[in-house]
Amino acid sequence: TIYAGSLSEDRRELRDVFFYQRATEPNQPDRMILAERASRVTDPDEQASIVDLQNGRQYQLRAGQAAYSRAEFSYYRLRIEHESSPEAASARLETASLTQLWQDRAQSPVMAELGWRLSMPWVMVLACVLAVPLAQVNPRQGRYLRLLPSIFLFATIVVTLMAVKTRVSKDELGSWAFVAVLLGYLTLAIGMTVRYRMPSWRTPKPPQQPPVQEQTS
């Protein structure tokens, strides 16, 4: 917990700073810092927040105990490590470029994001192939008869790929799962195209002539 009473006029320094950090282990004391001023330092790795504190006091204390330790300082650099939450890691992967993902493709979450991105262009190809059989209706049927089934079929492609992405990120499946899903739907699309091919592809059968009977007089 960090609290500042006010900001400087140039908004670069904090005044009357209060900092409290709970111990991460049971046998370690909590830490509380009071400082007159504080300024933030840029971390080149962006893995932590670095704050320079001036003219303050640091207390180390344990809950339920009256004993504590106190130390005064004129200058103290405080480093606060960033918590590596799954949401933050996922957000960083979604904003990374394909080049960065390809360089770190050995990691399972990176491979999941890379496979997801590379699958999206092929989903558009599958949509075009599936559009041919799904658009065919009989003359007596409504033109929107297959619209709802088509929407559900297209949605299953995306939902299946999202499920594969989750499993790959957890190292439960390999990157081949993306290819397997795309090939499965491509086989389905080709089979439906052959079954429901366009009428112009069909070769009309010649009409059968009735047999001619010869008459004799």
Side-chain angles (χ1 to χ4, degrees), residues 1 5 12-13 20 39 65 79 103 114 117 128 133 140 167 169 192 205 207 211 214:
T1 303
R12 294 185 178 180
E13 287 188 351
Y20 179 81
S39 58
Q65 299 182 12
R79 180 182 177 89
Q103 293 175 355
L114 184 62
R117 292 191 188 182
C128 296
R140 295 183 180 181
R167 299 288 295 276
S169 64
M192 294 178 62
K205 296 181 179 180
E214 296 183 356

Side-chain angles (χ1 to χ4, degrees), residues 143-208:
R143 64 179 63 183
Y144 301 109
L145 177 66
R146 297 178 182 267
L147 181 60
L148 188 59
S150 302
I151 294 176
F152 280 121
L153 182 59
F154 292 145
T156 58
I157 301 176
V158 180
V159 172
T160 305
L161 289 175
M162 290 178 63
V164 169
K165 178 183 177 182
T166 303
R167 299 288 295 276
V168 173
S169 64
K170 296 179 180 180
D171 204 11
E172 297 178 359
L173 289 175
S175 57
W176 54 265
F178 291 100
V179 181
V181 171
L182 295 175
L183 289 178
Y185 277 97
L186 180 60
T187 304
L188 176 63
I190 295 175
M192 294 178 62
T193 302
V194 174
R195 180 178 176 84
Y196 303 102
R197 53 189 176 181
M198 298 180 61
S200 59
W201 295 354
R202 299 177 181 176
T203 304
K205 296 181 179 180
Q208 295 181 0

